[in-house]
Amino acid sequence: MAITLVNPAGLPEIDVYRQVSVASGTQLVFVAGQVAWDADGATIGEGDLAAQVEQCYVNVGTALAAAGATFADVAKLNVHVVDWTPDKMPVLLEGIARASARLGVTPAAPATLLGVAALDVPEHLVEVEATAVVD
């Protein structure tokens, strides 16, 4: 594997991601922010944050596969959520869990969660981008 995930002593352990990733691969893969579109461009889960998170992560998985990568190769995730408030965390985590079950993986790369005012279209509630490293 080109990525080693670490929770260093002195930093809190977070259930859904690790604090640090160390990359040793030779090829970088940058996945554009993925929204809750299906292959035809139709929005999945309009008004349903968990469903949209699930679809975003599935789309990231599809994009990674096209580059010969998997979630095991992801060095960094950025998650942008419209009108974020901390009470939405359980719903976000539900969507990640559903995507993990569908994909058979547990995305654990370091992640940044950003609250944003809006995304590309009003029906999109979340966008997920990834950076991966492969040998």
Side-chain angles (χ1 to χ4, degrees):
M1 289 288 153
I3 301 294
T4 302
L5 300 177
V6 180
N7 272 325
L11 294 178
E13 288 193 26
I14 308 297
D15 289 340
V16 295
Y17 67 88
R18 303 302 173 265
Q19 295 285 3
V20 176
S21 66
V22 179
S24 61
T26 58
Q27 186 175 16
L28 296 175
V29 178
F30 298 95
V31 176
Q34 296 298 303
V35 293
W37 278 332
D38 66 11
D40 297 320
T43 298
I44 301 298
E46 191 167 338
D48 182 342
L49 180 60
Q52 289 201 16
V53 169
E54 177 182 2
Q55 187 63 42
C56 289
Y57 274 80
V58 168
N59 289 351
V60 168
T62 299
L64 290 168
T70 70
F71 271 98
D73 301 307
V74 173
K76 181 74 168 75
L77 290 167
N78 288 324
V79 180
H80 304 82
V81 183
V82 173
D83 296 327
W84 175 257
T85 55
D87 63 307
K88 294 180 181 178
M89 184 61 80
V91 178
L92 179 85
L93 295 176
E94 176 188 339
I96 293 170
R98 288 171 20 187
S100 296
R102 277 179 65 184
L103 296 167
V105 301
T106 302
T112 298
L113 174 60
L114 302 162
V116 297
L119 292 170
D120 59 329
V121 294
E123 54 269 12
H124 289 157
L125 304 175
V126 63
E127 184 170 324
V128 180
E129 62 181 301
T131 302
V133 181
V134 294
D135 290 321

